[in-house]
Amino acid sequence: MRRIAFVFLPMVLALSGTAVAQTDICIKRGTNGMDKDATAAWREMEARKDPRFMEAMAGVWSSEVRSPQTGQVSYLYLSYQENGIVDYQNRVCSPTGCNDYAGHGLYAGFFLGNGRYTAMSILSDLNRDRECTGSTGRFVDDRTIEDSSGNRLTRVR
């Protein structure tokens, strides 16, 4: 089964809350070397994080994204904690079956005004190790986020 990539809000990194200071670096995919620019950007984002944004993100969010080109559907659940830890589960289904993915990580962000935000995450799962990703989006309301690609996440708790 071919895997497709969906663009989502900040995702994840495999770590425990006590190991954060030792693992908050970005690794260049395929090199296992530190990505100095991305790590510097992460550290700036982490220093500028807005407690109001972190509180607004806390909870479980879900999305369903369909890819008409491949016939696949992604069912994503993101669980954000106010302390900057995030976990995710993603089930990607096609006409021939489903694959499950999961990961853990860190996120930080701040509001830009009018419900808009910018955020960054460090992501680890079976396919990546401490990969950093930036994102932008907006809170449509307390229960709905729209990312810069137009994908919507809904708060489920």
Side-chain angles (χ1 to χ4, degrees):
M1 168 189 237
R2 287 187 308 175
R3 293 184 186 161
I4 60 172
F6 289 98
V7 179
F8 292 109
L9 291 176
M11 293 182 183
V12 292
L13 165 74
L15 54 97
S16 70
T18 58
V20 171
Q22 298 166 4
T23 59
D24 68 340
I25 62 170
C26 303
I27 303 294
K28 284 186 182 181
R29 188 179 259 200
T31 67
N32 292 327
M34 185 171 99
D35 184 332
K36 291 179 183 178
D37 293 336
T39 298
W42 163 256
R43 294 211 170 121
E44 181 179 342
M45 181 66 72
E46 171 47 40
R48 294 180 64 192
K49 72 182 173 191
D50 178 354
R52 293 174 302 131
F53 173 78
M54 304 299 281
E55 181 181 346
M57 289 299 295
V60 178
W61 298 82
S62 72
S63 73
E64 180 178 312
V65 177
R66 296 182 180 278
S67 175
Q69 300 84 354
T70 64
Q72 293 177 307
V73 181
S74 168
Y75 303 96
L76 177 69
Y77 288 88
L78 294 156
S79 177
Y80 291 96
Q81 296 179 33
E82 202 170 325
N83 65 2
I85 302 290
V86 60
D87 298 296
Y88 84 92
Q89 294 180 346
N90 191 13
R91 172 166 273 200
V92 179
C93 296
S94 73
T96 60
C98 298
N99 288 321
D100 293 313
Y101 306 90
H104 308 281
L106 298 174
Y107 78 98
F110 55 88
F111 285 114
L112 300 169
N114 296 325
R116 297 198 174 282
Y117 67 86
T118 186
M120 192 166 179
S121 63
I122 301 178
L123 168 66
S124 287
D125 56 30
L126 291 176
N127 297 312
R128 67 193 118 211
D129 179 32
R130 292 176 278 173
E131 184 176 281
C132 289
T133 305
S135 64
T136 59
R138 71 183 180 95
F139 278 80
V140 176
D141 56 42
D142 290 348
R143 300 186 51 79
T144 311
I145 295 173
E146 184 175 76
D147 71 16
S148 59
S149 298
N151 295 320
R152 286 194 172 212
L153 289 123
T154 303
R155 184 186 304 272
V156 293
R157 57 185 154 124

